[in-house]
Structures are given as structure tokens and as C-alpha cells.
Amino acid sequence: MTDAPSHPPARRDRSQLREERRRRRRRGVQVAVAAGIAAVLLIGGAVTAMVLVNQGATTAAPSEAPEPEPIVFPDDEPAAEPGAEPCTTVPVLSSFENAEMVQRLAEGYNAEPRDVDGSCVTVVASRDKSGIAAEEAAVGFSETAEDERPVVWIPDARSWLGVAREAGGGANVPAEGTSVGSSDIVLAMPEPLAAAIGWDEEPPTWAEVFETADDAEVWANLDHPEWGEFKLGKTSPVIASSGEAAMLASYGAAAGSVAELTVDDIADDEVTDEVKQHELATSHYMATPEHFLWHARQSADAGGSAADFLSAVIVDEKSVWDYNRGITSRDGVTRIESDVPAEQLVPIYPSDGFYIADNPAVVLTGSWVDEAEAAAAEDFLRFAGTKEGQAIVRETGYRDLNGELDAEVQEVGALAQTSDAGLDFPEPQVVVAMHEAFPDVRKRANVLFLLDVSGSMGDPIETGETKLEAAKQAVELSLDHFSDGDEVGLAAFSEVDAQALAPGEVSAVADIADTRDDFESALATLKPIEWTPLYEAVDTFAKRQADDWDPDRINAIVLLSDGRNETEAPSTSSQQMLDTLEELHHSTPVLVFTLAYGADADVKTLQSISSATGAHYYDATDPTEVDEVLGDLVTSF
């Protein structure tokens, strides 16, 4: 057995570095709230030097500014009676990760009478993925009806404000937000794995994390060959804050400093090569951290350990708390409450720093936001900074604006009482540079699109197209996600006159840079046929993909089906198919991402297929949403 990776000498000044970052973090958080609750704090005489430091400042030495006193949160001051109707409606858009907190804040605010400029107020919360919301904010939510556009946007990290502004949304998105609470983005590991490698006692640096993840024999060398290779889970950095944090940490580790990452570092060829090597340890990318944790729980329940699905995953503290109390979500929206897992997650706080999801709230400045809505929105943000609002923040698993956790949340999540090495996200230019570099450095894919072309795919949908026409359009659009070097192919399945799997492969899996025209031509020729040999198709093409399995690629199938297994002649059974997938999973694993298309899709079977391979199930039972759902799915690559 070999020893776990040793810690480098650079850690000799860790205590001093932690103290500096601790002071910086406290200053940044307190200044963020100062603008939102200044009027209230002035009444209480509590505004002091908090406004002297910009929220993004990172250069002050510990001796230059003493640590500010903790904020004394003011009491909420609801109106004696609600203002006149009709109420001013304040749509608030959150991320998936912080949606519960924002919803609870909205409920807390709405529970008391409000009178802003003579009108009552109703706050309405909605959610979207961070990257999608940033794209929409950059164009002023132009695809949404004006009366439905958000007035307040609360992404779970400040990085998305900069991404939206850099993409052209400066006229609508303020540069700085008012933090309503925070959650550290950490490395979470199943408890036995964290103990075996020793990171539960002595946190690693990010460089050590990526070095370990690149070691195929690490668990075998620690007397646990049953855990397989080190499987590192990351969300997509263009979709989720945890994915951004993971990729920025990768660049920082390669460049020599997570805390001082620059645009030049991201452009450096040697740094880029090292980041590419880091990415090879990624099992696959997903849209939200909940996706990974749901699969980890499924693996633990089915096989006794989450280690079958992941060794570690980069997530926010709040997600660790949810998991450890038995709450998971397959889609980031629907919450599943079950028993407390026997195998808990341990949050690991890397010693050279970790990014903070600071949940900045901004009142948007677009033409659709009138003065009454803006005033009501500011009153909602005032509430978020009150004693009542901050209690909600803590109760929903977040650190308040003093960095404090609810005691029970801290205990159940095994979270650090204080997070001394917390880091602000880098400047927007750095984050955008990382986004632009991601297509070049990400782990390449080896993907087969497998389309059901049974007779029912000829049925019309609300748009006037047939289901197959809409599906083909969605597949064609999804190709834009892939880059040179990704190997992509196309097969389709039906059965006619007892001939299985007609037409079969129509475009071989090959570099999409060379074969996109052939792929699109083959896609255009697909037509509805007759039967639905679902089990035979999955069994056959999973074996073919496994034959070409490449450990340096994400080996996958994207399966779209609108029906249940129906064949004219005897064919592969459901159990035979699942046995094949299980056998491959332990040798040459092929992820089968399944998409249930239309109301008659066999949801249960499609879920079992994806679960058996460690992939994810997607719901397009409303066929008019297939392009959006498939677009979400391909972020896994």
C-alpha cells in the first residue's frame, strides 16, 4: 500500500493565509449587505466602516483593516395594514441551487402586510439554471413576455452577474449585488472514502485533489480496489456555479494559485495542458449538483456504497446538508425525502481556498421594471437582511451575512463552523475567459444518438410537426454543443417484417468536425417505421459502444424513445438488457442517458436503463420541450 499524497511545503504559512482570507471574506459579505439595509442600520446606529471596502476587494492585508464587528440584523418592519390593491408583483428569479431559500424568503415576506408607495406587494419566485439565466439576462430576457420578466435576479454566485454583463447585459444587470447569504463550494466525499485517504482530518490542496483523481490505482493502493478508479463529479461550468468553481480551481491549481488566478493563466499553454489532464478524471458533467447526489444515493441504496458512482463531487455546503438528512432530487426541482443515508457525505475544504456562492440579489434595470416594481423589490431585499430574513437563510442551510450556520444544519452537514479559506469568485473577465476555454479543455465525448423511429413517432404534436420532425430538429441543434475531437454518431431503431433494428446505424461514431454534414444528412432521412424493439436496441448498441470504449472519453448513448418495448418477433428481454448494462458497467462502462419523449414513453424502463449505467434520465413527456430538454442533456458532455 502506498501513502496518500503528501502536502507540499507551501502550506507552512497556512494559518496566516487563512486569517487574511477570513478577514477578507467577512469584509466582503458585510459590505454586500450594507447597501441593501443601510437605511435600517442607520436607524440603529450600526453602519460603520462596512462601506469602506468594495465587495470584490482582495488586496487588503490583515493589518490594514480590523475585522468588522458582526452585523446586528434589524427587525423587520411590516406595514400596519397592506397597501391598496392591485398589489405590485415582484417576480424573483433564482438558481436551482438556492431556489428553496429564495422561495422561503418570498413566503416570509408575503406573510406580513406590505405597503410600498401605497400599494401592497406580492413576491413570486421562480428558478432556472444559473448559466441559462445569465444568457437570458444578457439579452434582457427578450424571449419572455414583459409582464413575466424578473424584476429581481438572485443567482447563487456573483460570477453570473459578470458573465451576463460581459455578454452584453450591462444595461439591465447591475455590476454588484447585495448578498442574502452564502454557501461554500466544497469537495464532498462518502465518509469511508474520505477517511481512507485521510482528507477528513487533513484537507488537501486543489493540486492534490486533481493529482489524486488522475491516479487510477489510488483506491487499490489504499486497500480498497472495490471502489475502482477515482471518480470525480463536476457540473458543467457553463451551467452551474459548482462547475465554475471546479474549473477555476483546476486552472488555479495548474497555474500555482487558486486565489490569484488571472486571464493570462487561462491563456497559458502549459496551464491549459495540465487542465486537460485534470479533466480526464471527470466521469461526466451534469447540469446541477443534485443530479450527482441523486445518483450517489441510488448507488448506495442498490449496492451498499456511493463509491460505485463517485469518489468525490464538487458541490455547495447546502447540498451536503440536504444529502445527509435524506433529501435528494433527480431533476433539481422535485425533492425526494427518504431515510438518512447510512453512508454520509463529508465536506472537504481544500487548504488553498474554495469559492463562495454568495447569492447576490440585484434589482434589474431593464425597461420592463417600473418605479413601483423597483421600490417593492428593494423592500424585499431589505427584508432579506433583517433578523427574520436571515433566520430563514440559516434555516434553509445557508450561512447568514455574518457567516454563521444554524447549529443543526452544521451538525447534520458536518460543515465547518467557520470557513477561513473562502475565496470570492475571480473578476468577470477571468470567469468569462474560463467559459470560453472550456470547450477546448473539457473531456472529449464518444457519443451515439439512438433514436426511436417507431410508427408513433409520426404522430403530430401541438406545434404542427410530427414527433420525429421535432426530435430531429432538437438533435441537430444539440450538435452545436460538441467540438472538434468529439466523436458522435447516429443510429435509429424500429422493426418491420420481423427485421430487428431497422434502419440501425446511419452515421458512424467519428469526429464530428469531419462528419457533421454526413450526420445531418442521415438524420434528415429518418422516417417512422413500425415496431419498438427498445430492449434489443439498447442491448445491441451498448455492446457496440463498449467495444470502442476509451478511458479518456465520456463513453455514452443518448437514447430518445416515445414508447414501450413492442416487437413482432421474439427479442431481447428487459432482464437480458439490464444484465448487459450491469456487466458493461464494471468493465467498459457506457453511460446511457435516456429521454422520455411524449406521454406514452415507458418512463419506468427508461429510468431503470439510465440508473443501471450511472447516467441521468430526462423528461420530455411534453414533446414541445424536446429541444430544451435535449440541450440540457448534452451539457453532460
Side-chain angles (χ1 to χ4, degrees):
M1 182 178 74
T2 62
D3 293 333
S6 60
H7 296 290
R11 294 183 62 183
R12 62 187 181 276
D13 296 323
R14 188 176 68 184
S15 60
Q16 180 180 354
L17 181 62
R18 284 191 170 190
E19 178 62 20
E20 180 177 348
R21 287 170 178 161
R22 179 171 175 266
R23 292 173 184 272
R24 181 195 315 153
R25 174 203 171 109
R26 290 285 293 274
R27 286 197 301 274
V29 169
Q30 291 179 347
V31 172
V33 72
I37 63 174
V40 177
L41 292 176
L42 279 167
I43 293 173
V47 172
T48 57
M50 289 184 295
V51 296
L52 297 178
V53 184
N54 181 275
Q55 181 184 18
T58 61
T59 58
S63 60
E64 294 177 4
E67 183 177 339
E69 291 296 319
I71 296 170
V72 177
F73 303 121
D75 292 327
D76 183 27
E77 295 183 355
E81 297 290 340
E85 295 185 351
C87 293
T88 301
T89 300
V90 180
V92 178
L93 177 64
S94 73
S95 298
F96 273 36
E97 292 88 339
N98 63 1
E100 180 186 4
M101 175 179 68
V102 174
Q103 179 64 44
R104 289 277 304 278
L105 285 170
E107 292 170 356
Y109 181 82
N110 292 338
E112 298 291 342
R114 307 293 174 184
D115 184 345
V116 178
D117 295 339
S119 296
C120 54
V121 180
T122 301
V123 175
V124 179
S126 62
R127 71 186 80 186
D128 206 343
K129 298 178 181 67
S130 298
I132 302 300
E135 289 179 0
E136 293 175 349
V139 295
F141 299 94
S142 56
E143 296 185 4
T144 304
E146 282 206 7
D147 61 350
E148 297 177 0
R149 295 177 189 177
V151 171
V152 175
W153 180 27
I154 312 180
D156 63 325
R158 71 171 67 183
S159 53
W160 300 107
L161 302 180
V163 167
R165 287 176 61 84
E166 290 290 316
N172 304 314
V173 180
E176 296 289 345
T178 301
S179 176
V180 299
S182 64
S183 190
D184 296 334
I185 299 175
V186 299
L187 186 76
M189 300 184 72
E191 191 171 25
L193 281 69
I197 202 167
W199 289 353
D200 56 340
E201 296 290 340
E202 185 71 8
T205 64
W206 280 110
E208 290 169 334
V209 171
F210 295 118
E211 179 184 354
T212 301
D214 192 40
D215 182 358
E217 300 299 321
V218 61
W219 296 129
N221 290 337
L222 291 170
D223 294 335
H224 286 287
E226 72 276 11
W227 293 341
E229 295 185 353
F230 195 103
K231 296 177 280 291
L232 181 60
K234 301 179 189 176
T235 53
S236 168
V238 297
I239 296 294
S241 303
S242 58
E244 282 189 325
M247 187 59 62
L248 290 166
S250 179
Y251 272 103
S257 175
V258 176
E260 299 175 359
L261 184 64
T262 68
V263 172
D264 288 342
D265 290 333
I266 292 175
D268 185 273
D269 289 341
E270 290 186 7
V271 171
T272 297
D273 288 343
E274 186 169 338
V275 170
K276 287 181 179 179
Q277 185 64 34
H278 292 170
E279 290 306 290
L280 295 181
T282 304
S283 57
H284 58 291
Y285 307 95
M286 284 189 170
T288 70
E290 287 86 356
H291 288 174
F292 277 106
L293 296 181
W294 184 85
H295 282 291
R297 182 62 194 265
Q298 294 298 303
S299 294
D301 289 347
S305 176
D308 189 47
F309 180 72
L310 62 81
S311 301
V313 60
I314 299 170
V315 297
D316 56 279
E317 291 176 308
K318 195 267 185 184
S319 295
V320 177
W321 171 60
D322 275 342
Y323 185 92
N324 284 354
R325 63 194 178 114
I327 294 178
T328 55
S329 175
R330 179 193 288 272
D331 56 8
V333 178
T334 306
R335 293 159 58 84
I336 301 170
E337 297 188 23
S338 54
D339 295 336
V340 172
E343 191 177 81
Q344 297 271 288
L345 288 180
V346 175
I348 310 295
Y349 299 79
S351 59
D352 53 341
F354 41 84
Y355 294 106
I356 305 167
D358 59 341
N359 299 277
V362 291
V363 179
L364 299 171
T365 58
S367 60
W368 65 91
V369 181
D370 61 30
E371 291 184 5
E373 291 169 333
E378 293 288 359
D379 193 57
F380 172 61
L381 298 193
R382 173 202 61 78
F383 169 76
T386 64
K387 184 186 300 182
E388 292 79 4
Q390 289 296 289
I392 291 172
V393 168
R394 291 189 299 272
E395 290 165 4
T396 50
Y398 288 81
R399 296 179 184 270
D400 68 16
L401 295 169
N402 286 320
E404 299 294 329
L405 286 163
D406 176 87
E408 184 176 349
V409 169
Q410 181 185 334
E411 180 180 0
V412 172
L415 307 178
Q417 183 173 5
T418 59
S419 48
D420 301 342
L423 300 171
D424 294 333
F425 272 83
E427 293 299 315
Q429 296 86 345
V430 178
V431 178
V432 170
M434 177 275 292
H435 278 220
E436 293 173 347
F438 177 61
D440 181 48
V441 300
R442 67 175 174 79
K443 190 174 183 177
R444 287 296 183 257
N446 178 357
V447 179
L448 176 73
F449 283 87
L450 181 57
L451 270 60
D452 179 346
V453 289
S454 57
S456 57
M457 289 289 283
D459 295 344
I461 60 177
E462 290 182 15
T463 61
E465 306 166 287
T466 66
K467 284 195 284 188
L468 184 56
E469 288 169 343
K472 290 196 293 186
Q473 180 178 333
V475 171
E476 185 171 357
L477 288 172
S478 75
L479 295 181
D480 291 339
H481 173 82
F482 296 97
S483 306
D484 294 2
D486 285 315
E487 296 182 352
V488 185
L490 175 66
F493 66 95
S494 183
E495 177 191 278
V496 61
D497 297 331
Q499 177 188 356
L501 303 183
E505 181 185 282
V506 295
S507 179
V509 177
D511 192 329
I512 194 64
D514 301 325
T515 62
R516 179 161 180 165
D517 288 345
D518 291 341
F519 184 108
E520 292 177 346
S521 296
L523 180 67
T525 65
L526 296 180
K527 297 179 180 179
I529 302 179
E530 192 168 350
W531 299 89
T532 312
L534 176 62
Y535 307 152
E536 177 74 15
V538 173
D539 188 90
T540 297
F541 286 105
K543 291 175 180 175
R544 291 189 190 179
Q545 281 294 89
D547 288 341
D548 295 324
W549 184 80
D550 183 341
D552 289 340
R553 291 180 178 271
I554 300 170
N555 302 274
I557 291 173
V558 175
L559 169 65
L560 183 152
S561 176
D562 79 328
R564 301 176 182 277
N565 187 78
E566 292 180 339
T567 61
E568 184 176 12
S571 185
T572 303
S573 70
S574 173
Q575 190 59 53
Q576 288 173 322
M577 172 193 67
L578 293 174
D579 287 346
T580 293
L581 296 178
E582 182 177 355
E583 179 181 350
L584 296 177
H585 186 62
H586 294 288
S587 54
T588 50
V590 175
L591 301 163
V592 184
F593 296 88
T594 58
L595 191 154
Y597 185 42
D600 295 328
D602 188 349
V603 169
K604 184 176 180 180
T605 293
L606 294 173
Q607 288 177 342
S608 69
I609 290 170
S610 60
S611 293
T613 67
H616 204 67
Y617 158 82
Y618 291 81
D619 186 344
T621 48
D622 178 352
T624 63
E625 297 179 353
V626 64
D627 55 346
E628 179 180 347
V629 175
L630 189 56
D632 187 6
L633 189 158
V634 294
T635 63
S636 297
F637 311 122

